[in-house]
Amino acid sequence: MNDSAILLVDDEQAIVHMLDTILRKEGFNNIDKAYSGEQALAACASKKYDMIVLDIMMPGQSGLEICPFIRRTTDAPIFFLTAKSSDFDKLTGFALGGDDYITKPFNPLEVVARIKAQLRRYMRSREDDHGSTTVLSAPPFYDFGRFQLFPEAGELVVAGEPVSCPALVYQLLLFLCKNEGRIFTKSELYERVWGETAHGEDNTVMVHIHRIRERIEQDPGKPELLVNVRGIGYKLIRPGERNGT
């Protein structure tokens, strides 16, 4: 994991250099730095990163403005740093493609710990997608009519067309496909897919549920496949099986 390519983006050079120093002490040496949204876009266009730490409030193009463009080219985790702390701001960041969020001022050691956790999940998802071990009892793909998920290829096909899918969105959808028809609470989904104990992570799960619906549902506002069971949680069903939700 220590050879992971990391991009640090913040117009406050002191913060960038502080995180760079701490990460290097932890053994990370493949670190690039950018001090504006424009520099970050140029860096992402020329190099593939495994983790991007992105400030929201920057002169010129903000982190929220460039995040969708970065997300089009990579599934790597995007970690927001910002002085904003409202739930609306957090949900906006998640909806635009962010995977984690921490407000300033922050404990740099906590940030590094969370960067490591995000990298572990990302590397694990890549290994799951491209690993050579084949489970004979697993189906070659999951077919839900409108969409198909191909685990060995790491591919989502919707209405006959390949659809890009960030790593954690893909892992959540794969988990739901493997457990078709079973109801999971938001906390259960977070613990099973993110691999950590849920501590107020409902918004994270809800945003990723929304991202899945944007991809697989004909009308994300009226889901027919990934449905909510009132007061309990979510389940993935086949078309026409929505009775009782």
Side-chain angles (χ1 to χ4, degrees), residues 8-146:
L8 304 176
V9 186
D10 198 310
D11 63 305
E12 296 184 56
Q13 295 191 18
I15 290 178
V16 172
H17 289 294
M18 175 186 63
L19 291 174
D20 178 72
T21 299
I22 295 173
L23 285 167
R24 290 185 186 279
K25 286 182 179 179
E26 293 293 322
F28 294 94
N29 295 308
N30 190 359
I31 302 174
D32 292 337
K33 300 180 284 289
Y35 305 105
S36 68
E38 292 78 8
Q39 289 181 9
L41 288 174
C44 290
S46 62
K47 182 175 178 178
K48 294 292 184 182
Y49 292 98
D50 300 302
M51 160 66 69
I52 299 165
V53 180
L54 181 61
D55 183 34
I56 286 183
M57 299 295 290
M58 293 184 291
Q61 290 182 290
S62 71
L64 291 180
E65 288 174 321
I66 68 171
C67 185
F69 295 98
I70 294 175
R71 181 52 75 209
R72 291 176 190 173
T73 62
T74 181
D75 291 337
I78 296 176
F79 192 113
F80 278 122
L81 293 178
T82 182
K84 294 187 173 183
S85 60
S86 73
D87 287 340
F88 175 78
D89 293 322
K90 293 178 181 180
L91 287 174
T92 300
F94 286 133
L96 290 173
D99 295 284
D100 205 347
Y101 191 108
I102 194 166
T103 56
K104 302 175 183 178
F106 52 79
N107 182 333
L109 295 179
E110 178 189 353
V111 175
V112 171
R114 289 170 68 173
I115 287 174
K116 286 183 174 180
Q118 286 285 355
L119 278 170
R120 280 195 298 270
R121 289 196 289 265
Y122 180 58
M123 296 302 179
R124 187 168 62 237
S125 71
R126 289 174 62 181
E127 290 172 1
D128 291 343
D129 288 348
H130 303 293
S132 58
T133 302
T134 301
V135 180
L136 296 178
S137 60
F141 68 96
Y142 297 92
D143 188 353
F144 283 77
R146 176 170 167 76

Side-chain angles (χ1 to χ4, degrees), residues 145-148 156-163 215-216:
R146 176 170 167 76
F147 79 89
Q148 294 79 40
L156 171 64
V157 175
V158 181
E161 297 292 333
V163 174
R215 288 165 170 80
I216 69 172

Side-chain angles (χ1 to χ4, degrees), residues 188-206:
E188 288 173 333
L189 289 172
Y190 189 84
E191 291 172 6
R192 298 288 291 275
V193 176
W194 277 256
E196 297 179 356
T197 302
H199 295 294
E201 303 291 350
D202 286 3
N203 285 345
T204 301
V205 175
M206 290 172 62

